[in-house]
Amino acid sequence: MKKNIKKSVLNIVFPLIPVMILVVLTIMTPFFSMEGRLTDTLYKQLEGVSRNIKIITVDEETLEEYGSFANWSREKSAELLKLLYADGKNAPKVVGLDFLFVDEAEKETDALLVEACKGGADVVFASNLVYRGATKTDGNGNVYYDSWNVSMAEEPYDALLEVSEAGFANVYIAKDGCVRYTKLTQQYGEETKYSFAYTLYKKYAEASGIKPVMPKSDSRGIFTFFYSGVQGEYPHFSIKRVLNGEIPAQEFKD
């Protein structure tokens, strides 16, 4: 009789295990989001974000004016850089163009963009790391799977990279669907690659006479951060309005 009861209980419990796991995961998922929102609130700065960071956007009115981004991106980017750096005394300390100009396109527009990066312009372009997991062997002969293995780095075309810098702009999504961590560094073969954000910060610090600091990250180069403002708090300007003179270039001084 006892054996039959024990068997009946096991027959009931075992099928319930996957259901119980699913229930626990379902219950825990909102807590990841809740924890993220809580830290957002705790770390939000009352004085707001840095006013030294200004964003020039490719917005709807820009696309209506110039058409498809692919048709004008390099020419207008060159025009923008020349405008911002026309007066050295009122120029930005550094400009980051979060665009992937990987392959050579038209000889004329490629040359315009290269020329715009010369003569005192401090410019950082975006690159992209292509992750493909690979099986590797460590120094002790142990085999392991490296999910952060980089198989390829997509970088600005050679002539552009000679007159500017690049940083990887990959986005890493947390469990709550938000961006709550990033990679500051990434090993690629024998070379250490730096993120777009860190490269921008480093160049700005150096141009401002400040010693750049590398934030603490884990062994994989992952850096967890907290949001210090709200969406839209950084000043935004339409690239169309900057190019047509409605927003003066002096707005971006330093």
Side-chain angles (χ1 to χ4, degrees), residues 55-58 66 72-86 92 95-99 112-113 116-117 121 123 237-245 247-249 252:
I55 302 172
I56 300 175
T57 64
V58 178
Y66 302 136
W72 57 263
S73 58
R74 299 189 188 202
E75 182 181 357
K76 293 298 181 185
S77 294
E79 192 179 328
L80 177 65
L81 289 173
K82 284 194 170 184
L83 180 66
L84 294 176
Y85 284 102
V95 173
L97 287 174
D98 192 9
F99 305 142
L112 280 174
L113 192 51
C117 292
V123 188
F237 306 88
S238 167
I239 189 173
K240 170 201 164 186
R241 293 178 182 270
V242 177
L243 289 176
N244 68 16
I247 308 295
F252 307 98

Side-chain angles (χ1 to χ4, degrees), residues 5 10 22 44 100 112 117 148 171 176 210 230:
I5 293 173
L10 290 174
L22 182 61
K44 200 167 287 182
L100 275 174
L112 280 174
C117 292
W148 290 102
V171 176
D176 63 356
I210 302 167
V230 296

